[in-house]
Amino acid sequence: MAPTLTTAYLVADECADTSGRPRAGTWVNSAFNAGASGGTALTGLTVDLLPLWCCFVVATLPAALSGVAVLARTPLLRAEEGGRWQPLSFR
């Protein structure tokens, strides 16, 4: 989370002119706080409405789907003579 937030502050700082930099940083901070507050409220509702095992499934889904997306986009590799790795071709 920290690298993403740092990058957001740096991008906002680069995109704003000198007089607007404090305001740009404030927008990044406000957006982060709004997202954290909304996520906390949604978590409270989820824990209150769903059984505990469902909450664990819901909490696991973003990480699992991200892993599946990465694996789906990563080409399968095979070792070639000389120790180099080459993508597999399925022709």
Side-chain angles (χ1 to χ4, degrees):
M1 192 63 206
T4 304
L5 193 55
T6 302
T7 302
Y9 278 113
L10 291 173
V11 168
D13 194 51
E14 284 291 319
C15 291
D17 61 351
T18 306
S19 64
R21 286 185 178 160
R23 190 177 325 158
T26 302
W27 275 105
V28 171
N29 195 26
S30 296
F32 177 77
N33 289 337
S37 297
T40 302
L42 186 61
T43 300
L45 286 172
T46 303
V47 168
D48 194 35
L49 296 174
L50 297 176
L52 187 58
W53 68 269
C54 285
C55 295
F56 284 118
V57 170
V58 169
T60 305
L61 280 177
L65 292 175
S66 297
V68 168
V70 167
L71 290 175
R73 302 268 311 160
T74 305
L76 297 174
L77 301 174
R78 63 175 169 81
E80 193 177 73
E81 288 184 33
R84 296 184 62 202
W85 291 90
Q86 296 294 327
L88 286 175
S89 61
F90 296 101
R91 293 186 224 170

